[in-house]
Amino acid sequence: MEGEGIEHRMVEVNGIKMHVAEKGEGPVVLLLHGFPELWYSWRHQILSLAARGYRAVAPDLRGYGDTEAPADVSAYSIFHLVGDLVALIDSLGQEQVFVVGHDWGAIVAWNLCAFRPDKVKALVNLSVAFFPRKKALWRIDTLRTLYGDDFYVCRFQEPGEVEAQFAQVDTAQLLKSFFASRNPGPFMIPKHSGFTGRLSNQIILPSWLSEDDVHYYASKFTKTGFTGAINYYRNIDKNWELSAPWEEVQIKVPTKFIVGDIDLAYRCGGMEDYIHKGGFRRDVPLLEEVVVMEGVGHFINQERPEEISNYVYEFIQKF
């Protein structure tokens, strides 16, 4: 992708060195990736937005890719992650930016809007809807009660345990298994077999992902490991405790939300009802539109790049 004019640089933010990929001139659009991804997940949107008169900026988030990964689990709290973005926005010389988030990037974006709405002109979030704190859905005990010990978030809690299972399999194959999954049910990692069963069969790559794409992701995760990325999940309960002052917070930023109808984040934990039966609009009063894309899975910005780029542009060009 470097041949297409995407520039790469390191920025000092909030005590760490952050890798940023960017292209274009104009209003800034900050693109925030999820797990297990990188800036590269936005490769299509970077080019599309730059061609339409925007400066697209996609960082590797804390712990990922070429961005620093602090060793301490506690250095991955939601306040660290949002603090990184506030510092990044300031380093870009901006008072306000457009924000687009996916998966964990969406979670961080919701919290950026909760803590610092003054920094965000408008928000487009993909895949993961807002979690109101009072529902306590995003707690380890709640998730364990709903789905059991083998639910991936629960299995991610013990430091080093799931990393050891990941290390037993080929990184490229592991990433293929994540990206190629079309199962909208809860994502499980059996404690004793881990990923060996999941990777025993040949994985057919989806049409939107090439071997070169997988190689790029694998080259970075082979170098860094997965601990930084998984440490986000190890702060879920701590984030809930620390966010008590925002118990009844509403997200008061103009928002568009897009999700695939076979995305596990849409099908699990009562999210479908929450999104469509009034709860979501109550908590996000400036929610302008919800788009549910038929037959689309979790990695929506890669699976349907042109449509997502168009949806983002159509929304942000109004502001």
Side-chain angles (χ1 to χ4, degrees), residues 35-36 166 169-183 187-189 194-206 208-209 214 226 264 298-299:
F35 175 89
F166 284 4
V169 297
D170 178 73
T171 301
Q173 285 293 102
L174 179 66
L175 290 165
K176 284 181 187 180
S177 77
F178 284 127
F179 289 131
S181 175
R182 307 292 287 175
N183 178 7
F187 182 59
M188 312 301 273
I189 303 176
F195 278 86
T196 51
R198 190 185 297 272
L199 301 181
S200 59
N201 300 319
Q202 186 180 2
I203 298 165
I204 306 298
L205 278 186
W208 48 266
L209 194 70
V214 174
F226 289 88
L264 73 172
H298 182 66
F299 298 98

Side-chain angles (χ1 to χ4, degrees), residues 240-305:
W240 188 86
E241 292 170 14
L242 292 172
S243 63
W246 291 270
E247 171 71 18
E248 299 287 344
V249 74
Q250 290 180 305
I251 304 301
K252 294 188 175 175
V253 169
T255 300
K256 181 172 189 167
F257 180 71
I258 310 167
V259 66
D261 73 346
I262 55 170
D263 187 333
L264 73 172
Y266 181 60
R267 294 292 188 183
C268 290
M271 293 309 292
E272 214 171 333
D273 282 351
Y274 171 71
I275 288 166
H276 296 296
K277 294 186 176 177
F280 195 19
R281 198 167 294 278
R282 178 195 65 233
D283 295 326
V284 188
L286 301 183
L287 178 66
E288 295 196 13
E289 189 179 4
V290 171
V291 177
V292 180
M293 298 181 71
E294 193 174 334
V296 179
H298 182 66
F299 298 98
I300 189 168
N301 46 320
Q302 298 187 78
E303 183 174 345
R304 294 288 181 85

Side-chain angles (χ1 to χ4, degrees), residues 49-97:
L49 290 165
R52 287 164 156 168
Y54 290 89
R55 182 183 178 190
V57 178
D60 284 335
L61 296 181
R62 175 180 289 243
Y64 282 88
D66 294 323
T67 292
E68 276 190 81
D72 191 348
V73 173
S74 67
Y76 295 82
S77 79
I78 198 64
F79 292 104
H80 290 86
L81 304 177
V82 171
D84 294 347
L85 298 185
V86 171
L88 177 59
I89 292 166
D90 289 346
S91 80
L92 296 169
Q94 304 296 308
E95 288 296 316
Q96 280 194 317
V97 297

Side-chain angles (χ1 to χ4, degrees), residues 19 33 35-38 60-71 76 163 166 171 175 216-231:
H19 166 247
H33 69 79
F35 175 89
E37 301 179 84
L38 301 163
D60 284 335
L61 296 181
R62 175 180 289 243
Y64 282 88
D66 294 323
T67 292
E68 276 190 81
Y76 295 82
E163 290 96 324
F166 284 4
T171 301
L175 290 165
Y216 183 84
Y217 286 110
S219 71
K220 298 300 180 182
F221 281 104
T222 299
K223 186 175 78 173
T224 64
F226 289 88
T227 297
I230 294 169
N231 281 343

